[in-house]
């Protein structure tokens, strides 16, 4: 078990290295191919040649790509100094560098945005697990009857609706016409927990609806498969109450496969719910990703990609460990 | 969102698809008892499923609209880029009249600020959506079929490498990388104009991220099919690998490939709309459903009609493809359900 975890953590590091390499390569080569100059992004179009040269030296933009990548890694692990003669800036680890566009340090910028995405993803996750799994179980138990058909039709509609449409429509209805909810936004939890919740309620529900639709379909399929297994028949034959048959024997193995899906979904959401954040004008990691890509702001792109990849690989690891805990047939080695 | 049956899809629905030229068994049976090929059986099953047929009919209709978008729009007489300032309230910038300016002349109203005809733009948006989604699905299918065949049939290091890549791509933040790729690729190339080159980029990117779905299913099928007697028979008859792959195995994979290609089209439609919504898909003056929804974001209180129309278009289209695909799967492989 311990050896397994250590090996997996090693894998995590390797994966993250590969991700940074790919991102670094793509976004460093692209300006060269398209003829745009990162230094120009940094100082603005009106800068004179001397200022441009200064920036190039300071950021090391003239170094070969592997030197730049090496310095980037060094910055991540131990911090780095941006050195341009008398003018030296120290950037403590983990150092993602400075935004080309705003000159802001990347790490604090990302940390600043993390709570928004975290609140959004976790709140929605709670709703969609309860809603989606619950609906799926009901649907499976009432297979072919009205409840099943209603749930499945709603779920099919749910997977066919893009979030930016449901989001806008529900914002128009609940915030504007009915006035039941404040317009979506982010209020820090520490400042006002109630406003934090009411402001995020709409984004939570819209995001959760999309996922709940998928989860209801998956849960139903898994539950139906499980409930047709022999051991369920055995449990019924030995006279267990239906509640125990479903609750104790059915749910456990029927829902285990969902752990994998849930881990991956949550992991990728934590890296930034780009569409939801854009729809509701929330300034989280997803919005940072979109903006940085549009502006070709490499240090921030690298930061958000690494964040996203980190959440995904960690989610994968947690999923595998959880799986082993829940399913006795799985041995970690 | 990988749904469903995957592995069990084909077994018996296969051999008739393999030899369409022979026309099943009817030629040899007597008149009283008419034999039905498996394809006919599937077709009958599909026809009985009314929801799926309706979905299929709508899909057919959309394809026609997409192909004939240009003549349709010129017939209506409102070019997609014609401004109608007379239909816009000069102070508010909103369409005159209720429901976004819907009238006998402008069936779905006009755009806020510019007064461009929404119906024409929806038609062209449909063309973009359908073309991108279909061609991207085609790219995914070709890549997925070839690589899946190679992985399943050759095994060994080929299988290891292809499977690794598939796992990697499936666990990847796809939207993020689509955004990155789409936004860094050049705006025009090969002499294509802005719209066509954008569509080509979208097709390439969406198609590339979709192939592992097909590849994984093809690989799984090939793993079990290659051990079957008919493969052994054809090998002992001296068939070369190429023949076994493309004449013996591939036709047996037609059913699952068809079903899963149909089912990735709706996903592609949503992806294209999402990328256009985020401003990295089809670019501004060119119409796309996602782009219209992004514009509508600023008017969701004052002109909700403008938001509802492209949204409903995406919804109905995706729903129709999903229903059609599900029906197709049920028809080709009833065991799956």
């Amino acid at each position: 078990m311990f050896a397994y975890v250590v090996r997996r953590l090693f894998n995590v590091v390797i994966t993250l290295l590969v991700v940074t390499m790919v991102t670094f390569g793509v976004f460093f080569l692209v300006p060269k191919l398209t003829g745009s100059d990162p230094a120009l992004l940094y100082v603005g179009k009106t800068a004179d040649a001397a200022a441009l040269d200064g920036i190039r030296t300071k950021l090391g933009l003239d170094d070969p790509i592997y030197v730049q990548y090496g310095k980037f890694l060094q910055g991540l692990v131990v911090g780095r100094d941006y050195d341009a003669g008398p003018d030296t800036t120290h950037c403590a680890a983990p150092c993602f560098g400075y935004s080309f566009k705003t000159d802001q340090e990347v790490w604090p910028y990302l940390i600043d945005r993390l709570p928004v995405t975290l609140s959004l993803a976790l709140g929605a996750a709670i709703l969609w697990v309860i809603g989606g799994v619950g609906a799926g179980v009901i649907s499976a138990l009432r297979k072919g009857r009205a409840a099943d058909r209603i749930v499945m039709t709603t779920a099919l509609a749910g997977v066919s609706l893009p979030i930016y449409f449901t989001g806008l429509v529900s914002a128009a209805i609940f915030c504007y016409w009915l006035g039941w909810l404040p317009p979506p936004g982010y209020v820090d939890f520490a400042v006002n927990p109630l406003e934090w919740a009411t402001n995020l309620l709409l984004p939570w529900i819209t995001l959760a609806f999309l996922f709940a639709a998928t989860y209801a379909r998956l849960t139903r399929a898994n539950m139906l498969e499980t409930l047709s297994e022999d051991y369920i028949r055995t449990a019924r034959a030995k006279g267990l109450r239906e509640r125990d048959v479903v609750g104790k024997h059915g749910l456990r193995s029927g829902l285990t496969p969902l752990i994998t899906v849930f881990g991956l979904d949550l992991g990728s959401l934590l890296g930034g719910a780009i569409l939801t954040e854009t729809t509701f004008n929330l300034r989280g990691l997803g919005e940072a990703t979109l903006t940085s890509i549009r502006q070709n702001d490499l240090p921030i792109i690298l930061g958000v990609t690494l964040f996203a990849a980190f959440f995904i690989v960690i989610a994968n690891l947690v999923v595998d460990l959880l799986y082993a805990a829940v399913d006795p047939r799985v041995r970690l080695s | 969102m990988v749904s469903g049956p995957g592995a069990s899809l084909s077994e018996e629905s296969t051999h008739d698809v393999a030899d369409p030229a022979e026309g099943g068994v009817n030629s040899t049976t007597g008149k009283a008892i008419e034999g039905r090929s498996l394809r006919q059986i599937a077709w009958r099953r599909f026809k009985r499923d009314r929801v799926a047929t309706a979905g299929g009919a709508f899909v057919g209709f959309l394809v026609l609209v997409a192909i004939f978008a240009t003549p349709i729009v010129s017939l209506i007489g409102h070019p997609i880029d014609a401004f109608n300032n007379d239909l816009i309230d000069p102070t508010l910038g909103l369409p005159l009249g209720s429901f976004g300016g819907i009238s006998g002349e402008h069936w779905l109203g006009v755009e806020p600020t510019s007064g461009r005809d929404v119906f024409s733009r929806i038609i062209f948006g449909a063309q973009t959506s359908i073309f991108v989604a279909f061609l991207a699905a085609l790219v995914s299918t070709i890549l997925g079929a070839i690589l899946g065949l190679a992985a399943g049939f050759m095994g060994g290091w080929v299988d290891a490498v292809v499977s690794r890549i598939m796992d990697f791509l499936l666990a990847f933040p796809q939207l993020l990388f689509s955004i990155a790729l789409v936004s860094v690729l050049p705006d025009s190339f090969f002499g294509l104009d802005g719209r066509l080159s954008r569509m080509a980029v979208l097709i390439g990117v969406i198609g590339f991220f979709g192939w592992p779905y097909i590849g994984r299913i093809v690989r799984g099928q090939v793993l079990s099919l290659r051990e079957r007697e008919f493969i052994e028979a054809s090998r002992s008859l001296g068939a070369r690998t190429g023949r076994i792959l493309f004449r013996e195995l591939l036709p047996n994979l037609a059913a699952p490939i068809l079903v899963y290609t149909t089912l990735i089209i709706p996903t592609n439609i949503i992806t294209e709309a999402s990328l256009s919504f985020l401003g990295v898909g089809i670019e501004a003056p060119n119409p796309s459903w996602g782009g219209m929804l992004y514009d509508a974001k600023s008017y969701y209180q004052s002109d909700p009609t403008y938001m509802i129309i492209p949204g409903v278009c995406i919804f109905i289209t995706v729903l129709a493809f999903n229903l059609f695909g599900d029906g197709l799967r049920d028809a080709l492989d009833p065991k799956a359900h």
Side-chain angles (χ1 to χ4, degrees):
Chain A
M1 180 70 185
F2 179 70
Y4 175 80
V5 174
V6 170
R7 210 168 55 233
R8 282 295 302 263
L9 284 175
F10 182 70
N11 266 340
V12 165
V13 175
I14 298 289
T15 313
L16 292 179
L17 266 178
V18 173
V19 169
T20 52
M21 254 185 242
V22 172
T23 323
F24 204 86
V26 168
F27 284 94
F28 251 69
L29 285 178
V30 162
K32 298 216 163 42
L33 296 176
T34 54
S36 67
D37 184 350
L40 206 60
L41 273 175
Y42 197 77
V43 290
K45 288 211 165 69
T46 51
D48 55 42
L52 273 176
D53 274 346
I55 282 300
R56 280 204 197 99
T57 328
K58 188 170 178 185
L59 298 179
L61 293 175
D62 283 337
D63 293 339
I65 183 164
Y66 57 88
V67 175
Q68 293 192 42
Y69 180 67
K71 283 190 178 161
F72 170 74
L73 283 187
Q74 183 205 343
L76 271 185
V77 184
V78 294
R80 74 192 269 201
D81 290 318
Y82 288 99
D83 197 3
D87 164 31
T88 304
T89 322
H90 180 71
C91 171
C95 172
F96 285 90
Y98 295 86
S99 159
F100 283 166
K101 202 75 186 172
T102 61
D103 208 0
Q104 252 181 312
E105 214 185 315
V106 175
W107 177 253
Y109 171 78
L110 294 182
I111 290 301
D112 191 42
R113 278 159 178 263
L114 188 58
V116 181
T117 302
L118 216 59
S119 312
L120 178 66
L122 292 179
I126 293 171
L127 288 181
W128 92 60
V129 167
I130 296 173
V133 173
V137 170
I138 292 173
S139 196
L141 295 179
R142 298 262 180 283
K143 190 189 172 214
R145 286 194 248 164
D148 179 28
R149 253 180 256 140
I150 292 170
V151 169
M152 282 304 109
T153 313
T154 317
L156 186 63
V159 295
S160 306
L161 280 164
I163 182 142
Y164 34 91
F165 180 53
T166 42
L168 288 177
V169 170
S170 46
I173 296 175
F174 295 107
C175 306
Y176 183 63
W177 287 323
L178 298 175
W180 290 352
L181 289 170
Y186 183 75
V187 177
D188 202 70
F189 183 78
V191 174
N192 186 338
L194 186 69
E195 273 187 33
W196 171 82
T198 48
N199 279 287
L200 280 174
L201 194 59
L202 200 63
W204 281 340
I205 294 175
T206 346
L207 186 55
F209 178 62
L210 178 82
F211 280 99
T214 316
Y215 279 59
R217 283 157 68 109
L218 276 176
T219 307
R220 180 179 182 270
N222 283 336
M223 281 302 285
L224 284 179
E225 204 182 313
T226 305
L227 290 178
S228 65
E229 300 253 359
D230 288 346
Y231 74 89
I232 293 289
R233 196 180 48 194
T234 310
R236 287 206 177 107
K238 72 184 185 189
L240 274 187
R241 281 178 307 174
E242 186 64 20
R243 196 188 341 149
D244 291 334
V245 173
V246 175
K248 286 195 181 141
H249 297 277
L251 283 181
R252 182 157 175 175
S253 75
L255 299 186
T256 330
L258 284 173
I259 295 178
T260 314
V261 188
F262 179 71
L264 285 176
D265 283 344
L266 188 63
S268 57
L269 262 190
L270 286 175
I274 301 179
L275 289 170
T276 319
E277 288 172 20
T278 310
T279 309
F280 294 111
N281 299 322
L282 298 169
R283 297 174 63 78
L285 287 172
E287 202 266 345
T289 311
L290 189 63
T291 317
S292 63
I293 290 177
R294 277 193 189 145
Q295 299 178 337
N296 209 351
D297 196 342
L298 179 72
I300 297 188
I301 296 175
L302 274 171
V304 286
T305 325
L306 205 57
F307 253 64
F310 174 78
F311 283 123
I312 289 179
V313 287
I314 291 298
N316 261 318
L317 177 61
V318 173
V319 158
D320 286 346
L321 295 178
L322 256 182
Y323 218 101
V326 176
D327 189 340
R329 287 169 303 184
V330 175
R331 289 270 166 277
L332 299 178
S333 56
Chain B
M1 266 187 262
V2 191
S3 61
S8 64
L9 225 168
S10 95
E11 292 295 289
E12 26 134 60
S13 49
T14 50
H15 289 283
D16 103 277
V17 191
D19 298 309
E22 283 175 22
V25 267
N26 352 11
S27 48
T28 48
T29 33
K31 273 180 186 165
I33 307 163
E34 197 188 332
R36 280 189 213 132
S37 70
L38 287 158
R39 179 187 285 192
Q40 285 171 319
I41 294 174
W43 173 239
R44 275 166 173 261
R45 241 186 246 131
F46 183 76
K47 268 198 300 190
R48 234 180 292 138
D49 187 348
R50 274 207 220 122
V51 180
T53 342
F58 191 75
V59 165
F61 167 74
L62 273 174
V63 171
L64 288 179
V65 167
I67 293 172
F68 297 109
T70 316
I72 292 174
V73 167
S74 62
L75 200 69
I76 292 165
H78 297 297
I80 48 167
D81 45 7
F83 283 40
N84 297 298
N85 291 325
D86 51 320
L87 298 171
I88 298 296
D89 185 326
T91 43
L92 297 172
L94 297 174
L96 295 165
S98 48
F99 299 110
I102 288 184
S103 64
E105 189 61 22
H106 297 278
W107 298 344
L108 295 177
V110 292
E111 233 178 24
T113 320
S114 68
R116 291 180 294 194
D117 183 58
V118 172
F119 185 77
S120 302
R121 296 182 70 78
I122 284 287
I123 297 285
F124 264 88
Q127 185 181 54
T128 311
S129 264
I130 297 291
F131 279 4
V132 169
F134 265 94
L135 293 176
L138 191 69
V139 171
S140 304
T141 306
I142 292 173
L143 279 175
I146 292 176
L147 290 166
L149 263 176
F153 191 74
M154 295 183 195
W157 68 268
V158 178
D159 186 23
V161 170
V162 172
S163 299
R164 258 295 102 107
I165 297 176
M166 289 195 292
D167 289 345
F168 184 66
L169 283 176
L170 286 172
F172 216 60
Q174 289 184 13
L175 187 63
L176 202 149
F177 257 68
S178 307
I179 294 170
L181 277 173
V182 172
S183 58
V184 297
L185 290 169
D187 278 344
S188 59
F189 47 83
F190 302 139
L192 295 172
D193 72 348
R195 179 169 181 246
L196 288 181
S197 69
R198 254 6 228 176
M199 281 169 72
V201 167
L202 285 172
I203 289 165
V205 169
I206 299 175
F208 175 74
F209 280 111
W211 75 260
Y213 290 97
I214 307 280
R216 209 162 54 164
I217 286 149
V218 170
R219 174 181 171 271
Q221 292 283 310
V222 171
L223 279 183
S224 73
L225 282 174
R226 71 168 186 194
E227 306 299 334
R228 297 265 291 267
E229 289 84 353
F230 71 95
I231 298 294
E232 210 177 318
S234 103
R235 192 175 289 136
S236 60
L237 284 170
R240 276 169 293 125
T241 311
R243 193 194 150 84
I244 294 178
L245 280 176
F246 294 104
R247 302 295 295 275
E248 306 288 341
L249 281 173
L250 198 57
N252 280 291
L253 299 165
I257 288 179
L258 182 66
V259 168
Y260 283 92
T261 305
T262 318
L263 285 174
I264 56 172
I265 291 176
T267 320
N268 290 351
I269 290 178
I270 291 202
T271 311
E272 185 273 320
S274 306
L275 290 173
S276 298
F277 175 79
L278 294 174
V280 290
I282 301 294
E283 280 172 333
N286 298 305
S288 69
W289 292 349
M292 290 174 91
L293 270 172
Y294 184 77
D295 293 340
K297 204 159 91 82
S298 327
Y299 300 100
Y300 79 92
Q301 298 170 340
S302 47
D303 185 8
T305 318
Y306 185 50
M307 151 189 88
I308 288 168
I309 288 168
V312 168
C313 285
I314 297 175
F315 173 56
I316 296 179
T317 308
V318 172
L319 190 67
F321 271 102
N322 276 330
L323 293 172
F324 177 59
D326 284 349
L328 208 58
R329 183 181 55 199
D330 293 347
L332 287 170
D333 182 24
K335 278 185 305 183
H337 236 45

